[in-house]
Amino acid sequence: NEKAAMQVREYLRNTRMLSLSMCEKYGMGVSKQSYPTSGRDAKWVEEVCITFPWINTRQFTPTPSGSGSDSGLNEGDSLEQEQRYEIVRIKHRAMLTKGKQRMMPSGGQWGFFGWHLVNPSMPKTTTPDDSNDNSAKTNTGKGIVITEGEYDTIAVAEAIDHYCSNKSNTSNNSSKIQDLDLKSLPVVSLPNGCGSLPDDLLPRLESFTKIYLWLDFDSSGMAAATAFAKKLGIHRCFIVRPAKRQPDVKMIEETLRGLELDIDIDILDSLDKFSTNFLKDANDYLRNGMITHKGYVLGSNGHNSDNSDSVLGTNIKIYNEAVYSRNTSVMVDMLVNAESIRHEKILTFADMKQEV
């Protein structure tokens, strides 16, 4: 209902700090599901949920025009138009409790969140026959970003979109950014966290020459990234690592002073215990240090620090935009500096001869 939808919009905008337009682009929605409580007096309680569609590509077999087929194709339709997307499953995740989630239908197919935004005609690899064709060469080396969770997918997509649309952005990694082709870089999410890369989905990734694994920066996320790289081929996988300097209170204070805004610096006092903590994922990097519409400063653990004396105004809006730009720039740098996986040791013939 409308009340649940308003709650979700409020949560996405002011806790997750995600734009509703990007959430809509990825097909997120709202539902209500009942989950059991724990304890002796356990009962079923209805929860407001956010929905995330798992999407696959559905291939249509072209048929002659006028054959009566319901494929929807007309004479002159291109091969690209023969590809359509279908929602194969939907994840219902309780808005306020991560552990309460349900995949529907039960036992359905696997799919990637955000797969419908992957250009159906990409990637194209160069073959020996067209190795001298410049138009073919421009389509090689296509990449894709895979994140651990849906909120991280939205955060990375926003960072890329903001960076590409902000002409004033400058980076020491400009050549790497150009090679990465940010504008056409799709971002998708694993179906169900860092333990979920089903074999059924591997064929979808076969043609990509560069796969950027942006998993959580905890031990389980980093271990999964290495395992997935071996599963997908270490020659084409790059693991995103935490930024060398994470956004902290000092950086936020510098932002305030640089903008010469009339915002009491005391508003940041309670942020100290948050932003010195470990930034776990992409969504943390996007939202860290931003002030919500209620006058809260959002810390890296996703909780709001109460600063009831602060007020929402033009200055806070300017501040948030500056912090957002800084955070997205940091995230793009993290992406372009993703590290390749190396074999622990590669023996040459000379090495093996010596070993013998």
Side-chain angles (χ1 to χ4, degrees):
N1 57 27
E2 184 58 29
K3 183 178 179 181
M6 289 180 63
Q7 290 175 331
V8 168
R9 287 194 291 266
E10 179 89 359
Y11 173 78
L12 293 173
R13 275 196 310 245
N14 300 304
T15 297
R16 290 288 176 174
M17 291 297 192
L18 303 174
S19 71
L20 296 183
S21 59
M22 189 64 74
C23 294
E24 182 179 358
K25 185 177 180 180
Y26 272 82
M28 293 167 60
V30 183
S31 73
K32 285 188 175 182
Q33 297 287 322
S34 294
Y35 298 94
T37 60
S38 57
R40 295 181 58 184
D41 300 326
K43 59 182 179 179
W44 290 83
V45 177
E46 191 175 63
E47 299 265 4
V48 174
C49 296
I50 300 176
T51 61
F52 306 96
W54 293 357
I55 296 173
N56 268 339
T57 306
R58 180 176 59 217
Q59 296 285 347
F60 286 85
T61 303
T63 55
S65 178
S67 64
S69 169
D70 59 356
S71 67
L73 293 176
N74 298 315
E75 186 176 0
D77 282 345
S78 66
L79 178 62
E80 182 174 327
Q81 289 173 298
E82 294 170 18
Q83 302 190 52
R84 300 292 188 272
Y85 299 99
E86 61 179 342
I87 297 175
V88 295
R89 218 166 173 189
I90 296 178
K91 178 192 289 187
H92 299 255
R93 174 174 164 176
M95 181 177 70
L96 300 178
T97 311
K98 180 180 179 180
K100 295 179 179 179
Q101 60 183 31
R102 183 174 292 132
M103 271 63 77
M104 299 175 67
S106 178
Q109 298 179 41
W110 294 101
F112 285 113
F113 173 69
W115 188 254
H116 62 295
L117 298 176
V118 178
N119 188 332
S121 63
M122 66 177 292
K124 180 181 185 296
T125 56
T126 304
T127 64
D129 293 336
D130 59 18
S131 59
N132 295 321
D133 183 356
N134 290 330
S135 63
K137 290 182 180 180
T138 59
N139 289 324
T140 62
K142 292 297 184 180
I144 188 171
V145 181
I146 301 177
T147 72
E148 182 168 328
E150 295 85 3
Y151 295 129
D152 298 325
T153 291
I154 303 295
V156 175
E158 281 199 33
I160 292 173
D161 183 69
H162 183 269
Y163 188 92
C164 291
S165 61
N166 189 351
K167 296 181 180 180
S168 63
N169 270 327
T170 58
S171 173
N172 295 328
N173 298 300
S174 56
S175 60
K176 291 184 179 180
I177 291 174
Q178 186 175 2
D179 292 340
L180 189 59
D181 192 12
L182 277 178
K183 288 185 178 180
S184 61
L185 189 66
V187 188
V188 300
S189 170
L190 294 169
N192 203 22
C194 67
S196 176
L197 181 55
D199 291 344
D200 291 352
L201 294 180
L202 298 185
R204 304 286 178 194
L205 303 172
E206 282 183 357
S207 299
F208 290 97
T209 57
K210 294 181 180 179
I211 299 175
Y212 297 87
L213 298 171
W214 192 320
L215 275 59
D216 288 1
F217 301 128
D218 53 15
S219 57
S220 58
M222 290 292 94
T226 302
F228 291 163
K230 294 177 180 178
K231 190 173 185 178
L232 294 165
I234 61 174
H235 62 284
R236 60 178 181 149
C237 287
F238 301 83
I239 297 179
V240 177
R241 304 291 186 184
K244 291 183 179 179
R245 183 187 179 189
Q246 298 191 10
D248 54 21
V249 173
K250 184 178 180 181
M251 290 177 68
I252 294 168
E253 290 177 349
E254 290 171 356
T255 301
L256 282 175
R257 293 193 180 98
L259 295 171
E260 298 182 350
L261 296 177
D262 185 19
I263 300 178
D264 190 348
I265 202 71
D266 291 338
I267 192 175
L268 301 174
D269 284 350
S270 58
L271 181 63
D272 191 25
K273 62 179 179 291
F274 293 142
S275 53
T276 54
N277 284 348
F278 180 59
L279 296 182
K280 181 183 177 184
D281 54 38
N283 195 190
D284 282 351
Y285 272 91
L286 182 72
R287 60 184 173 166
N288 190 52
M290 296 180 70
I291 304 174
T292 73
H293 77 298
K294 293 181 179 179
Y296 298 148
V297 177
L298 197 61
S300 60
N301 65 352
H303 295 157
N304 291 325
S305 310
D306 191 359
N307 294 277
S308 56
D309 291 337
S310 63
V311 295
L312 176 65
T314 303
N315 288 344
I316 289 181
K317 182 180 179 181
I318 295 172
Y319 163 81
N320 274 347
E321 290 174 351
V323 173
Y324 182 85
S325 293
R326 183 205 62 205
N327 289 351
T328 56
S329 182
V330 168
M331 292 171 69
V332 168
D333 283 340
M334 291 165 62
L335 185 58
V336 300
N337 288 310
E339 299 176 356
S340 59
I341 298 292
R342 298 179 180 178
H343 290 288
E344 293 182 3
K345 185 177 182 181
I346 300 178
L347 295 177
T348 64
F349 284 111
D351 294 327
M352 289 187 283
K353 188 175 180 180
Q354 289 178 0
E355 292 287 337
V356 173

